[in-house]
Every structure is written in C-alpha cells, then in structure tokens.
Amino acid sequence: MIEKQAIGNTEQNEDETKADLVKLEGGDAVLNAEDPGQLDGHGAVQPTRLYKRRWMIVLLFSSYSLCNSFQWIQYGIINNIFMKFYSVDAFTIDWMSMIYMLTYIPFIFPVTWLLDKKGLRVIALVATALNCAGTWIKVASVKPNLFAVTFLGQFCCSFAQVFSLGMPSMIASVWFGSEEVSTACSIGVFGSQLGIAIGFLVPPILVPNVDDMDELAHHISIMFYITAAVATLLFILVVCVFQERPTLPPTQAQATARSIPPEQYSYTASVLRLLRNRSFILLLITYGLNVGCFYAVGTLLNRIIIEHYPGEEVNAGRIGLTIVIAGMVGSLICGIWLDKTKTYKQTTLAVYFMSLVGMIVFAATLSLGHLWVVFITAGVLGFFMTGYLPLGFEFAVELTYPESEGTSSGLLNCSAQVFGIIFTISQGKIIDRFGTLAGNIFLCVFLLIGTVMTGLIKSDLRRQKANMLAKAAAAKQMSGKDYGTTALISNPQTPPSQA
C-alpha cells in the first residue's frame, strides 16, 4: 500500500481517532510514540486500536458487493425470458453468468498486484465505477437487436467483480481485531450472498413472462434502471466515505505486516511461495471444487427447476433465494464459531462433508413432484455449500500468513471461476443429454473428491501463532517490569549512614 495515502488518511482522521471507541488487545499497551524503540517492529509491542468506522467500511463494501453480485444471476434466473427477448439460445444466456467467471481468470493477477500496491480505497473506487458504468450500458440495451450492448454492460460488471471478490479477508485483517476477523469476513461475503439471493428473487417478479415485446422491454427497462440508480448511489458513497486503513493497526499481526518495507515485498515471490505451500494448494483445489459446484447450480437452476416443474419461473427464483439465504445464515454462524473456537480445519471439513450430503439429498428429491420438498433440501444444501465461502477465505489467510490476504483470496477465487466454468458447461451438456439427475450426480462426485482432499490439509494456523507470540512477548515485558518494581520495594538500598 502507498504510504502517502496512509499519511493522508492519518491526517484526515486525527480528530476521529480521539473520539472513536478504543479497544486494546490482551497484552497490548498504549505506548509512548516518542520512544522509537517501541515501534521498530523487532519484537517490541506496538500500539493497536479498533475504530468504530470499521463497521461502516465493511458494510459499505458489503453493499456494493451486493449490487454487483445481483447482476451475476439476473439473466440466468429468467433464462427463458431473455432467450425470447433477444432471440438467442440457452447456452448464450448461460454465458451472461459465466462471463463473471471467465473475466476473473486473466485479470485477477494484475488486480491483486494493484491491491497490494495501491490499497483498498483505490480498488473500491475502480470496482464501483465499473459496476456503475455497466448498469447504465444495460439501460441502453433494452431492444431485441441490442444483445451485444447488454453483453458489454454485463462484461463491465463482471470486470468490477474482479476488484471486489477477494477483498473481504483483507478488509477483515486491515480493520478488525483477532477475535472478530472471521465474523467481519463473513459480513463481507454476506453482501455478495445477499446480492445473489436478491438476483434469484427480484428478476422473476419484475420481469414476468409476457408475449408482448414492448411490454417485456418495459419490464426489463425498469429492472435495469433500478440497478443503475443503486449502483450510482453506492459509487458516490465510496468516493465520500471509504477509507484506506485505520491510523493504528487492529492487531499485532497487522502491525508486523505494516512494518515490512514496500521495497522488500515482491508480488511474484509471494505468489510463488503460496504455490509451494502444500496445505494451501490442497485448499485451493478443494475451494474451487466446492464453489464451482455452487456456481454451476446457481447458473443452471432455472433449467433444473423448469424441467421438473414447468411454468414455475418465480418459484425457481424463490428456491435460489432459499439456497442463498440459508447460506448467509451458515456463513455468519461459521464466522462466529471460528472466532470463538479457532477450529479452522475441523469446521471446514465438517461443512464440506455436509455440502456433499446436501447435494445428494437435493439430487435425490428433485423429481418427487413436491416443490416444498425441493425448498427444504435446497435450504440444507445452501446452508453448507454457500456457508463454506468465508471458511475458505479465513482458512487460507491462516495457512499463508504473512502473505497478502488479497493474493491468497484472489487465487482461491480464480480456482473457483475455473471450476465454475468447467462445471457449468459440463453439467449443462449432461442435463441436455441425460437429464438433471445425471448432472447433479456429476457434481456430487467432485464434492466427494473435495471432502477427501480437505481431510489431507495440515492445520498450520500461522496468523494465530503470530498473535499468540506477540501477546506472550507483551506479557513477558509487563511481568519483567512488575518484577523490577517488586525487587526495588522488597530490597531497599541501605542508606550510607547505616552501613
């Protein structure tokens, strides 16, 4: 991150720092800034603070992530309606969702480099500006002969996603204390999940399946205008409110990360170190398998439901909503659980296994003819499969500390996009030829492989170790000072006159 930007933020928030709630971690102390030895980053305890503003930052990020994620599924969930309006086939509409995955793969590495060099605020500004531009391009595309224009708008929004998808874990580390990082990361992911949930629910309501093309264009236009207005408001809020980082770091681990001189950091070397980390590579593959399955189910959900329950476009959206809402609950519960227990591997393995069970049950009950059963099984699937998202982020940060959170998250998301494209295309072809049951069994096989591989990950919690060592050093410093004071009291010097 650029130090000039950090200095500017320091000046901007000098008054706010005094007024904000201050919380010191166990073992930390308010240190004398005039004593450079205390701030040299070589084992000395450094000052840490938690600011009230941290909640506004994560909620603002969550909001613009919501707006962007909504657009990922807004075409796919009413696949048949957009096919009719633009006179294109189902596979073409599938690409309106898959473009989010495809765009991510080539751009994630330069964007992660930019995140490391320029920091959170620049990335947030670019993300919201691109998202805003994409929504207004879509507004201009509501004519049956302008599919290329609406695709361009969707491409801009997919490009914006590259700048936001890997930020939750970095925002959590930069702004939040060690007892709340997992919860903060879950809130960051929460916005993306809520956006997908709204994307499942709202388009079937705003855009009914009518035959009159002028009326259909009117309904589509309303949806695009609402999205553009929200995206514009969020862009303005980010410009005015979003801050790079707090004046003082929230944890000793973050203080140590800040003390690394920029000239000593190499993005390429960081990526290579991550790729040599066996535990991280296993997590990279298993995360991609799990989230890739979720992307495939989300993209093809309309086709899956309509095949068994014709004319139920609105309920297909509600089932998608159920999957994501249940996943949001799962994410928050898992985040709070991790903050309390720090059982990263055990929790990740349990949630992964239950994702497999949920997928098996969903596949087995889909053809029973009872929509209420599908709602229940979809909710169970979503609770675990979508709830897994923040677990992967936080486990990766633990396994790879002190590497940049943006780099590890970016690689995880890149893996998810690659598997998402492969699974979406493959499952779509399998459904066309063999039916939905075969397509869902295809995903179950890869979830089983991912569960086994998750069990092989070594739980090396490096960030937790760093925080524990820092607190132990602080406690040792404090006990040393107490011992010195006690020694002076218990052994007073004898006056020369009494010697």
Side-chain angles (χ1 to χ4, degrees):
M1 302 179 186
I2 291 182
E3 291 300 320
K4 292 181 180 177
Q5 194 169 11
I7 293 170
N9 288 326
T10 302
E11 295 172 351
Q12 173 187 343
N13 293 284
E14 196 67 40
D15 293 332
E16 177 194 337
T17 300
K18 299 174 182 176
D20 277 347
L21 175 66
V22 174
K23 176 184 175 183
L24 300 175
E25 290 198 328
D28 292 348
V30 181
L31 302 183
N32 184 359
E34 296 176 357
D35 182 358
Q38 291 181 312
L39 304 173
D40 61 3
H42 298 289
V45 182
Q46 300 183 60
T48 61
R49 281 183 177 176
L50 295 181
Y51 296 87
K52 288 179 180 178
R53 179 183 283 262
R54 70 192 188 281
W55 298 108
M56 182 170 58
I57 296 296
V58 75
L59 288 174
L60 182 55
F61 164 78
S62 192
S63 298
Y64 76 72
S65 179
L66 179 155
C67 181
N68 183 261
S69 297
F70 165 80
Q71 296 171 83
W72 167 60
I73 203 65
Q74 71 176 156
Y75 292 91
I77 196 58
I78 47 175
N79 185 295
N80 54 325
I81 296 175
F82 275 110
M83 285 169 57
K84 176 171 63 178
F85 184 75
Y86 286 114
S87 300
V88 295
D89 60 20
F91 187 63
T92 302
I93 298 298
D94 287 345
W95 271 109
M96 298 299 283
S97 296
M98 287 192 290
I99 188 63
Y100 264 62
M101 308 175 206
L102 183 63
T103 305
Y104 193 90
I105 297 168
F107 290 112
I108 180 53
F109 294 104
V111 168
T112 304
W113 174 86
L114 191 65
L115 176 61
D116 287 337
K117 293 295 182 183
K118 300 296 183 182
L120 290 170
R121 177 172 167 81
V122 170
I123 297 300
L125 288 170
V126 174
T128 48
L130 284 169
N131 190 56
C132 183
T135 59
W136 286 107
I137 291 172
K138 290 181 189 180
V139 167
S141 72
V142 190
K143 289 184 179 179
N145 63 332
L146 294 180
F147 178 77
V149 177
T150 206
F151 191 84
L152 175 62
Q154 188 74 340
F155 170 75
C156 284
C157 294
S158 71
F159 194 21
Q161 182 216 25
V162 183
F163 289 83
S164 61
L165 203 56
M167 284 178 67
S169 58
M170 189 162 189
I171 289 176
S173 293
V174 169
W175 280 92
F176 288 83
S178 60
E179 300 302 319
E180 55 190 18
V181 284
S182 297
T183 303
C185 185
S186 296
I187 293 172
V189 175
F190 183 92
S192 176
Q193 293 173 332
L194 183 58
I196 296 170
I198 296 172
F200 278 123
L201 178 67
V202 172
I205 296 173
L206 291 180
V207 186
N209 191 2
V210 297
D211 293 326
D212 185 274
M213 284 299 175
D214 290 334
E215 184 182 353
L216 187 56
H218 173 70
H219 291 304
I220 294 173
S221 181
I222 290 174
M223 179 173 69
F224 286 166
Y225 268 114
I226 292 172
T227 310
V230 173
T232 304
L233 174 63
L234 290 170
F235 173 63
I236 293 170
L237 285 174
V238 168
V239 171
C240 299
V241 173
F242 201 92
Q243 185 180 325
E244 169 63 24
R245 68 182 190 182
T247 307
L248 293 174
T251 63
Q252 291 298 325
Q254 187 60 211
T256 302
R258 284 194 188 188
S259 68
I260 300 174
E263 60 272 11
Q264 290 184 13
Y265 176 77
S266 168
Y267 174 70
T268 305
S270 177
V271 172
L272 292 176
R273 283 193 297 271
L274 291 178
L275 296 179
R276 289 193 296 266
N277 184 328
R278 180 178 178 274
S279 294
F280 177 71
I281 292 299
L282 286 172
L283 181 62
L284 188 69
I285 296 170
T286 57
Y287 184 89
L289 291 173
N290 190 300
V291 181
C293 288
F294 168 70
Y295 286 160
V297 171
T299 301
L300 301 173
L301 187 63
N302 175 270
R303 293 167 62 183
I304 292 171
I305 299 301
I306 295 300
E307 181 172 320
H308 293 282
Y309 305 93
E312 295 286 356
E313 290 91 353
V314 173
N315 272 323
R318 289 171 180 164
I319 290 169
L321 173 70
T322 303
I323 290 174
V324 181
I325 292 294
M328 289 159 56
V329 175
S331 293
L332 287 177
I333 291 175
C334 289
I336 294 169
W337 174 259
L338 284 184
D339 279 333
K340 298 294 184 184
T341 66
K342 309 300 181 187
T343 54
Y344 287 86
K345 178 179 175 178
Q346 297 91 324
T347 305
T348 301
L349 181 59
V351 170
Y352 211 115
F353 174 73
M354 292 306 299
S355 297
L356 169 61
V357 173
M359 191 70 214
I360 293 172
V361 174
F362 177 75
T365 58
L366 192 58
S367 59
L368 294 180
H370 302 292
L371 264 175
W372 66 269
V373 175
V374 179
F375 272 94
I376 293 173
T377 57
V380 173
L381 174 64
F383 182 87
F384 294 106
M385 183 174 281
T386 315
Y388 173 80
L389 297 176
L391 290 179
F393 280 150
E394 282 301 293
F395 197 14
V397 173
E398 292 293 337
L399 293 173
T400 60
Y401 178 85
E403 306 298 344
S404 168
E405 297 86 356
T407 306
S408 60
S409 298
L411 288 171
L412 287 183
N413 283 318
C414 187
S415 174
Q417 312 310 315
V418 171
F419 282 111
I421 292 173
I422 294 171
F423 288 167
T424 302
I425 294 174
S426 301
Q427 190 187 17
K429 297 298 182 184
I430 292 171
I431 288 173
D432 291 340
R433 187 167 181 180
F434 302 106
T436 56
L437 179 61
N440 289 327
I441 291 173
F442 166 78
L443 297 183
C444 289
V445 171
F446 286 98
L447 285 173
L448 175 61
I449 294 171
T451 303
V452 173
M453 293 180 70
T454 299
L456 300 176
I457 297 174
K458 181 181 178 182
S459 185
D460 181 17
L461 307 182
R462 299 180 180 182
R463 182 174 61 178
Q464 294 303 318
K465 289 178 182 176
N467 279 322
M468 289 173 63
L469 288 172
K471 291 178 181 180
K476 188 175 181 180
Q477 277 188 337
M478 296 300 293
S479 63
K481 291 177 182 178
D482 292 343
Y483 176 78
T485 303
T486 304
L488 286 172
I489 294 173
S490 59
N491 297 292
Q493 293 183 352
T494 304
S497 60
Q498 298 178 11

